[in-house]
Amino acid sequence: MKHILSLLSLAPVLRGFIALIVSGTCFPLCGVMVLQLDLIPLRYMLMHGVILGGAIALACQLPLVPVIVIINIVLVLYMLLFKKTSGGFSGASAGVMVLSIALASVITHVADVPAKDTLNLLWGSPFALTVTNQITVCALALLLVVYVTFNYKNMMPLFFNTDVARAMGINVHFHYTVMVMLIALVVSVSMQLLGAFLIDALLILPVLCASSFLSLTKSLRGIKKLFAFSSVIGFIFSFGGFFISLALDTPPAATIALMTGLLYTVLTLIVRCQKKHKRL
């Protein structure tokens, strides 16, 4: 215990701890949007956007995070054009992913940027965060919480059915665009600062765990409870996973992902057994 407390006295470790707690508590809210709007393909497209943005930033010697954010916002706007005509992101995301990785390959070749330097952008570390990085993560988390808090009533009908939301007078296109942009910001910033492995563990897995847990009891179902339980699970595992990683000297990202992954596996097996028992 003394060893862990002594590690927390180190500025990089403390910054990483704060960033993990904030992101673990708040970023699952974004994960709910991803799953409810069926935007998993968008998540993978944004990862390729990080590679393209990183290649451009390294080739032009520009700051990484702003370039990555701008590139991913441009790609999201490009995909939203497909959304109007094709009605979905699956085909558009595949096209944009191929385009992004192709452009990144050309840029790294022409500008003589080592490919490993670009790919390393996907494996950030919470211990490598600067004060500016920490402020960025906290500001993004606050923005996400404020949007969900003040627009929850508009999000609910949109999650249920866009036609119903329009009939209620909700500006579906505006709120859909805002949510997609928030997802792009969270993934773009977090991917470079925390890494692809960790952002998946904090963005998607807590929501999947919360969804499985809520499905075990009818009395606790509902989007509001999904938001709440996702945040609670994200906090518990980011907090617990961080201290376990310090105690066992294991990578924080792998520790947190392993814990949430195991919980999701257990909950899924329980849900399946419960459904099988009901059928019998």
Side-chain angles (χ1 to χ4, degrees):
M1 188 63 183
K2 290 182 179 180
H3 173 66
I4 294 176
L5 292 177
S6 65
L7 288 175
L8 280 175
S9 66
L10 301 175
V13 177
L14 182 60
R15 283 197 296 269
F17 174 67
I18 294 173
L20 278 179
I21 294 301
V22 171
S23 56
T25 304
C26 299
F27 288 176
L29 301 176
C30 190
V32 174
M33 298 180 195
V34 171
L35 294 177
Q36 290 296 313
L37 295 175
D38 194 21
L39 294 177
I40 290 293
L42 178 68
R43 154 71 184 83
Y44 295 109
M45 185 278 293
L46 292 171
M47 182 177 71
H48 288 73
V50 171
I51 297 175
L52 175 59
I56 294 173
L58 292 173
C60 301
Q61 296 184 343
L62 297 172
L64 283 172
V65 174
V67 173
I68 289 172
V69 169
I70 291 171
I71 291 297
N72 267 335
I73 288 177
V74 171
L75 293 178
V76 165
L77 291 173
Y78 182 63
M79 288 184 68
L80 285 172
L81 295 177
F82 283 91
K83 179 66 179 177
K84 294 179 181 179
T85 56
S86 66
F89 271 144
S90 297
S93 65
V96 173
M97 280 190 286
V98 172
L99 178 63
S100 299
I101 204 67
L103 285 174
S105 178
V106 170
I107 291 170
T108 54
H109 177 75
V110 172
D112 198 24
V113 176
K116 64 180 181 63
D117 290 348
T118 305
L119 293 175
N120 281 340
L121 297 173
L122 299 177
W123 311 111
S125 169
F127 298 137
L129 297 180
T130 64
V131 174
T132 302
N133 297 151
Q134 185 184 38
I135 293 173
T136 301
V137 171
C138 292
L140 188 55
L142 179 62
L143 177 63
L144 184 60
V145 171
V146 168
Y147 176 77
V148 171
T149 301
F150 288 97
N151 291 279
Y152 174 76
K153 291 183 178 179
N154 292 322
M155 296 167 65
M156 282 287 292
L158 200 150
F159 287 161
F160 176 70
N161 188 283
T162 55
D163 292 330
V164 172
R166 289 191 185 93
M168 294 174 63
I170 296 172
N171 190 333
V172 172
H173 179 70
F174 171 77
H175 286 286
Y176 189 91
T177 302
V178 170
M179 283 189 280
V180 170
M181 288 300 177
L182 281 172
I183 294 168
L185 284 173
V186 169
V187 172
S188 300
V189 172
S190 303
M191 191 86 73
Q192 200 272 318
L193 299 181
L194 301 175
F197 199 29
L198 187 54
I199 190 57
D200 275 343
L202 298 180
L203 191 75
I204 303 298
L205 281 176
V207 185
L208 293 175
C209 291
S211 180
S212 296
F213 177 76
L214 293 174
S215 67
L216 293 174
T217 170
K218 295 180 179 179
S219 61
L220 291 177
R221 291 180 181 178
I223 297 298
K224 183 180 291 187
K225 293 182 178 64
L226 181 60
F227 274 119
F229 275 81
S230 297
S231 292
V232 170
I233 291 174
F235 170 79
I236 291 173
F237 282 100
S238 58
F239 185 89
F242 181 83
F243 282 102
I244 290 174
S245 70
L246 290 182
L248 301 179
D249 193 23
T250 55
T255 305
I256 294 171
L258 183 61
M259 290 172 62
T260 50
L262 288 174
L263 176 63
Y264 176 63
T265 300
V266 172
L267 289 173
T268 301
L269 291 174
I270 293 174
V271 170
R272 287 184 179 180
C273 290
Q274 186 184 61
K275 290 181 178 179
K276 186 178 180 179
H277 178 71
K278 286 182 178 180
R279 285 197 298 267
L280 295 175

